[in-house]
Amino acid sequence: MTGPDPIAELIPAEIGGIRQWLLVRGADRNAPILLWLHGGPGSAQMPIHGVTAALERDFVVVHWDQRGAGKSNPPDFDPATMTLDRFIADAREVTALLRDRVGDQPMIVLGHSCGTMPGARLVASWPDDYAGYIGVGQQVDTIQGVTLALDWLGEVAPDSDLVGLESGAFRDHDLYLHLMKQVEAHGGGMNVSLLSMLPRALTAPEYRLPDYWRWLDGANRGSGAMWPEYLSRDLIAEVQHMPVPMLLIAGASDWNTPVPLVQYWFNAVEAPQGKRMEIFAASGHAPFLTETERFVETVRRFGAELTRETTE
């Protein structure tokens, strides 16, 4: 890492009773901190952090392998600890660690997919500690999302065995996974295969051979451990007020977290410090992988606006 005051650290820390790992990288350690909460909940972003490395010119980017993901997924890991409250408590510990190790500059929370579940609630609950919130593939309400995904599937794949089922049937986790596989197969999901990411992931200097097994194991665990909370948590009811500037990024073809539902929450939430939503026309559930340059520039611009506001 080069720059005026660079930082590049791989940090093991006891967080929430287990060892968890953080990668901290930036050209200037005094730049705003961008805390990235990955999705999954077990899909660690660390081994492919190089995709968005351009963000490190403007931010101290923190990729955190959360509990049950990547380097933070030990052989004796207990998936029962994967609760929303525990993830939020872990994030509070990570925030304190970063204040101690990096500094007290503005901190922006970026959540992707499942990472938006703790992300939005974290920032809304402790606005004095965070300068802004970015939600990418924002999770709002699982069953309402299923209803929209089924309607879309009926248009693109009318012969699907799922068309005609009531959305309530998808409270069954296996049936929900079947739906998500069909959504992916018809272009409404990530639209980026794991296989295409492997060459980049396998060159990550932060990972060793056992870490890749842990990475795949965490990703394959998926949402099962948190399924009761996926069904019961409703962002529209729980976060009606966002007290910091907010940016939502959605892929136009994302039916994992359907854009109309994200737009509904965006319109409903009060955000006196400002809110913006950008839809990436060529993307699905992972705009940072499919429209990387636009994604980086969008996040960079949001961070620059926050920095100007805090210094004026």
Side-chain angles (χ1 to χ4, degrees):
M1 175 61 64
T2 60
D5 189 4
I7 181 172
E9 297 183 358
L10 183 62
I11 304 171
E14 291 298 314
I15 299 168
I18 67 169
R19 174 169 286 193
Q20 302 189 42
W21 292 79
L22 298 95
L23 177 64
V24 182
R25 291 178 56 85
D28 183 355
R29 68 165 52 242
N30 299 302
I33 297 169
L34 184 67
L35 175 57
W36 189 305
L37 307 182
H38 62 70
S43 300
Q45 191 77 13
M46 192 184 296
I48 58 170
H49 71 87
V51 174
T52 54
L55 288 170
E56 296 166 7
R57 297 199 302 266
D58 298 87
F59 301 94
V60 176
V61 182
V62 179
H63 285 289
W64 162 31
D65 281 10
Q66 299 166 60
R67 62 175 57 239
K71 294 172 75 72
S72 305
N73 183 31
D76 61 349
F77 178 70
D78 181 5
T81 67
M82 299 175 72
T83 67
L84 185 55
D85 287 344
R86 183 67 261 174
F87 278 113
I88 291 174
D90 286 355
R92 295 296 294 158
E93 291 189 42
V94 167
T95 299
L97 181 151
L98 293 172
R99 290 300 181 209
D100 182 59
R101 294 286 293 262
V102 182
D104 61 358
Q105 62 263 54
M107 185 182 300
I108 300 167
V109 173
L110 185 156
H112 171 237
S113 190
C114 182
T116 66
M117 292 177 69
R121 293 166 173 86
L122 174 72
V123 175
S125 298
W126 289 276
D128 291 341
D129 293 332
Y130 306 102
Y133 173 67
I134 302 173
V136 184
Q138 179 69 51
Q139 204 277 346
V140 178
D141 181 284
T142 298
I143 296 301
Q144 288 193 52
V146 163
T147 301
L148 294 170
L150 282 172
D151 289 344
W152 171 79
L153 190 64
E155 296 175 4
V156 300
D159 295 333
S160 167
D161 60 331
L162 300 179
V163 173
L165 293 180
E166 295 293 329
S167 59
F170 293 86
R171 292 181 176 276
D172 178 86
H173 188 243
D174 289 339
L175 193 59
Y176 175 79
L177 291 180
H178 184 40
L179 171 62
M180 288 299 105
K181 288 178 181 178
Q182 291 206 18
V183 166
E184 185 70 42
H186 291 91
M190 296 283 285
N191 295 333
V192 178
S193 69
L194 177 61
L195 188 61
S196 69
M197 289 290 103
L198 278 179
R200 184 181 292 271
L202 291 173
T203 63
E206 299 83 12
Y207 266 45
R208 298 293 181 265
L209 188 59
D211 296 326
Y212 291 105
W213 180 89
R214 293 168 183 158
W215 182 48
L216 294 172
D217 178 65
N220 288 332
R221 184 184 296 119
S223 56
M226 294 185 68
W227 189 237
E229 292 199 90
Y230 265 79
L231 292 174
S232 63
R233 305 307 289 256
D234 175 6
L235 193 69
I236 297 169
E238 293 180 45
V239 181
Q240 300 179 5
H241 181 83
M242 181 58 68
V244 300
M246 179 177 76
L247 167 66
L248 299 184
I249 297 175
S253 60
D254 183 2
W255 293 97
N256 185 314
T257 52
V259 177
L261 188 55
V262 178
Q263 185 78 60
Y264 182 87
W265 178 66
F266 173 81
N267 292 338
V269 67
E270 296 179 359
Q273 299 300 315
K275 59 182 178 179
R276 184 165 78 245
M277 180 171 176
E278 294 205 17
I279 298 175
F280 284 33
S283 293
H285 194 52
F288 52 90
L289 297 179
T290 46
E291 294 183 74
T292 304
E293 289 186 9
R294 180 184 172 189
F295 178 86
V296 167
E297 183 55 35
T298 300
V299 173
R300 178 182 290 148
R301 187 169 63 249
F302 181 72
E305 292 169 358
L306 289 185
T307 302
R308 282 197 299 270
E309 291 172 1
T310 57
T311 57
E312 289 177 356

